[in-house]
Amino acid sequence: CKHNNYNMKKVLLAAILMLSVGVAANAQFKLGAKAGMNITGVNVSDADLKIGFSIGALSQIKLGDKWAVQPEVLFNMQGFKAKEDDVKKSFNLGYISVPIMAQFYITKNLNVELGPQLGFLIFAKSKGGGESVKIKSDMETVEFALGAGAAYELAKLPIGFFARYTYGFTEIAKPSLGKDVKNYGVQVGAFVKF
């Protein structure tokens, strides 16, 4: 009985190894860069949207003709505008974001994508009433979000265009502030792959 279990483990390990090598051999790997505009806000009724930017690097691992995985490392300038004590303020939040998108190609050049994103807050400031105040100590430093979008790659050039909606599932303000505040936003921009 022990001998049969040992043989089955060897066969299973060999099958997994062969499958992994087969997938890796068929995978196509590309590096790239992307940049775009962010239109972001928070889920608070009296807050307004704010325009920021996004820039970073990507790698794409194509798994056959229809599927790909695309990890990214981005600097995202996000935020929102709101009144605080009758003073209009702009809240600027800088994140290092790490999305990992699963992509499905509808056509050779058009894909839709869905995946998780971790955000690491590197700075937070509020500006208004002639003051600029650092507020990072009032904010959570890690955010978990989900992104969904689409991208179109030009046929004869390594350039493409993307649009993505991201919604945060974790609060960005510390519980001591007594507010349930979550990020959301739209990104549009362009990318290049090498």
Side-chain angles (χ1 to χ4, degrees):
C1 223
K2 285 183 182 177
H3 184 67
N4 284 344
N5 281 343
Y6 179 72
N7 282 339
M8 291 204 34
K9 286 179 183 176
K10 282 173 55 177
V11 168
L12 184 60
L13 183 60
I16 290 171
L17 184 60
M18 286 175 24
L19 182 62
S20 299
V21 168
V23 168
N26 288 326
Q28 298 171 7
F29 183 78
K30 292 183 179 179
L31 293 174
K34 67 187 298 187
M37 177 178 70
N38 289 337
I39 304 167
T40 60
V42 291
N43 65 332
V44 177
S45 60
D46 59 348
D48 293 324
L49 298 175
K50 185 167 184 358
I51 294 176
F53 66 92
S54 176
I55 188 165
L58 63 88
S59 63
Q60 186 189 55
I61 304 127
K62 280 196 90 174
L63 307 170
D65 293 334
K66 292 288 184 186
W67 289 96
V69 176
Q70 184 167 294
E72 303 171 359
V73 178
L74 308 170
F75 172 74
N76 271 319
M77 189 67 190
Q78 298 177 209
F80 58 98
K81 295 177 182 178
K83 270 192 176 179
E84 193 173 71
D85 300 324
D86 289 329
V87 177
K88 230 178 174 179
K89 292 189 176 180
S90 178
F91 294 84
N92 301 309
L93 310 173
Y95 285 91
I96 297 295
S97 302
V98 184
I100 301 174
M101 308 304 288
Q103 298 175 321
F104 177 75
Y105 278 79
I106 297 169
T107 69
K108 188 176 177 182
N109 303 92
L110 176 67
N111 73 60
V112 291
E113 60 182 14
L114 179 71
Q117 173 176 294
L118 274 179
F120 302 95
L121 184 69
I122 55 173
F123 70 84
K125 289 181 181 177
S126 70
K127 291 181 181 179
E131 291 184 324
S132 179
V133 180
K134 293 179 181 178
I135 58 169
K136 187 177 177 189
S137 60
D138 296 329
M139 310 297 284
E140 296 289 353
T141 55
V142 178
E143 177 198 34
F144 177 75
L146 184 68
Y152 183 80
E153 301 169 27
L154 299 179
K156 308 233 178 194
L157 296 170
I159 297 169
F161 303 94
F162 70 91
R164 182 182 296 166
Y165 177 79
T166 306
Y167 185 82
F169 286 101
T170 53
E171 295 179 26
I172 63 168
K174 287 193 174 170
S176 59
L177 295 179
K179 296 178 180 177
D180 178 16
V181 182
K182 295 173 183 166
N183 282 325
Y184 68 88
V186 173
Q187 292 179 340
V188 291
F191 59 85
V192 60
K193 292 180 185 172
F194 312 108

